[in-house]
């Protein structure tokens, strides 16, 4: 490990500390401005040319917006349709009527678990936000409830979605590790499902119950109103059937699930696989979901076309700031990646003498924390350990892929787009966001590692 590697690591650490200071100190700089200022500072500190800095800023922001920005916008539109039609209100009422207050986090965990099978973390969260806000808003009207109802309902969803995203194929991270390590999907998926259960329970309902009384989080009024101001049940403008509402809410997830199953069951040159891949692409699936909901919950029920268009336009206003801050996080991530901080981490880990499963988790964790990209963590760790996986017949390679996926989830913080999405969606301070998504994903990641080590004591699958 060279002195330049040490310098890069110190710059990366200092950049995060400066970023937090700019946002939480008396300066109170807007997160987007703080992210861009710190990104430029890191670029100069690591010796980048001015033109290269600008290129990385635009590429990072554009790539992030391209990956999640349009999907978030479509999710906001879908949420608005579900709220205005009264669907979300009825779903929230059904959960509250059939579930005790203590069991609500467990019910939300189960819903998020199902949603999270095919959906990426950010996509799943934007789809779940209307239900989270509706259930929490009803819950906070109970005077006996202490703390933030939004944390109580939201933390289990965050834990379940994150666990599924990092541990279970066909999410991109686990699939990338599987392909790089030349292992198989079946055992990795089974190990992943078994590891997800304790991880999302400890990081979700249990941790959420502990932290809720200590939090006063409440989302921005405009966003809250958008996702919860539906028509009342009964009488004029009553909501559609709950079955149709559930279908509209789950259609994107169903399309993505079909794609996931097709990837596992069909040959790569299959025309059906290509069709499923197109329909199951997050952007296409969300677009079809919005169109389907507009028709079934809007036009076919006599909705005014002008009012529906205006409502969809209004739905984008509360999330515009969220999308730009996420883009700023993408710019920061790209600067750190281009500065070769990941290479410095790899050089550092080469000095460790650790068991392969622990080493895979640690490399993925350090790369993800330092660069703000779980993908970088997975690709780097899998690539570094692929020769070992090929040469050691005693190594349980599916477990190594799972360990790497778990490591990529650890300590989701200010250089991760997901951190800013949770922070801004729930109206959290930096400290509150750290206590939620950062700690939740760290719990999920660490429990996942413990499950990997436990499974390694048992006979191999397959």
């Amino acid at each position: 490990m060279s002195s330049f590697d040490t310098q890069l690591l110190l710059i990366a650490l200092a950049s995060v500390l400066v970023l937090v200071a700019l946002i939480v100190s008396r300066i109170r700089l807007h997160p987007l401005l703080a992210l861009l200022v710190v990104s430029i500072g890191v670029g100069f500190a690591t010796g980048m040319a001015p033109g290269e800095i600008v290129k990385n800023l635009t590429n990072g922001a554009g790539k992030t917006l391209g990956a999640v920005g349009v999907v978030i916008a479509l999710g906001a539109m879908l949420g608005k349709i579900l709220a205005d039609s009264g669907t979300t209100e009825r779903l929230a009422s059904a959960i509250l009527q059939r579930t005790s207050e203590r069991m609500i986090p467990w019910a939300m965990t189960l819903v998020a678990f199902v949603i999270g099978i095919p959906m990426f973390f950010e996509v799943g969260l934007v789809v779940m936000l209307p239900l989270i806000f509706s259930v929490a808003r009803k819950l906070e009207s109970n005077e006996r409830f202490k703390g933030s109802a939004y944390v109580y309902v939201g933390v289990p969803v965050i834990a379940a979605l994150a666990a599924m995203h990092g541990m279970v194929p066909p999410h991109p991270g686990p699939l990338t590790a599987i392909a790089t390590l030349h292992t198989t999907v079946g055992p990795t998926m089974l190990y992943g499902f078994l590891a997800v259960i304790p991880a999302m329970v400890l990081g979700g309902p249990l941790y959420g119950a502990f932290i809720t009384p200590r939090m006063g989080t409440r989302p921005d009024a405009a966003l809250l109103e958008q996702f919860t101001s539906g028509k009342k049940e009964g009488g004029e403008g009553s909501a559609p059937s709950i079955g149709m509402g559930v279908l509209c809410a789950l259609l994107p997830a169903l399309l993505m699930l079909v794609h996931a199953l097709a990837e596992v069951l069909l040959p790569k040159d299959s025309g059906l696989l290509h069709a499923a891949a197109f329909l199951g692409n997050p952007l296409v699936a969300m677009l079809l979901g919005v169109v389907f909901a507009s028709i079934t919950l809007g036009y076919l029920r006599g909705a005014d076309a002008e009012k529906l268009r205006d409502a969809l336009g209004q739905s984008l206003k509360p999330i515009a700031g969220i999308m730009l801050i996420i883009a700023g996080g993408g710019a920061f991530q790209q600067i750190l990646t281009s500065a070769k901080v990941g290479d410095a981490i790899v050089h550092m880990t080469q000095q460790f003498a650790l068991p392969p499963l622990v080493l895979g988790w640690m490399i993925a964790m350090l790369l993800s924390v330092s660069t703000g990209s779980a993908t970088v963590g997975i690709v780097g760790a899998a690539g570094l350990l692929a020769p070992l996986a090929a040469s050691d017949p005693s190594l349980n390679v599916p477990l190594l892929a799972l360990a790497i996926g778990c490591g990529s989830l650890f300590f989701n913080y200010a250089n991760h787009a997901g951190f800013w999405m949770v922070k801004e969606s729930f109206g959290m301070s930096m400290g509150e966001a750290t206590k939620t998504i950062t700690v939740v994903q760290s719990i999920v990641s660490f429990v996942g590692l413990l499950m990997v080590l436990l499974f390694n004591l048992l006979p191999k699958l397959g």
Side-chain angles (χ1 to χ4, degrees), residues 310-355:
D310 291 344
L312 294 180
Q314 290 292 325
S315 71
L316 300 178
K317 293 181 180 179
I319 65 157
I322 298 174
M323 291 169 60
L324 289 175
I325 291 171
I326 291 173
F332 186 31
Q333 171 193 315
Q334 184 63 48
I335 287 285
L336 290 172
T337 302
S338 297
K340 304 298 183 183
V341 173
D343 290 350
I345 291 290
V346 170
H347 296 158
M348 181 179 69
T349 56
Q350 287 174 341
Q351 303 179 52
F352 299 154
L354 295 171

Side-chain angles (χ1 to χ4, degrees), residues 181-226:
L181 296 172
H182 302 291
T183 186
T184 52
V185 172
T188 310
M189 181 177 287
L190 182 55
Y191 280 133
F193 274 119
L194 294 174
V196 154
I197 296 172
M200 68 182 184
V201 166
L202 290 171
L206 297 184
Y207 177 70
F210 167 76
I211 198 175
T212 291
R214 298 161 176 81
M215 302 276 283
T217 299
R218 199 170 195 272
D220 178 74
L223 191 62
L224 187 59
E225 187 69 18
Q226 170 175 310

Side-chain angles (χ1 to χ4, degrees), residues 109 127 135 195 277 322 332 389:
T109 300
V127 168
V135 172
I322 298 174
F332 186 31

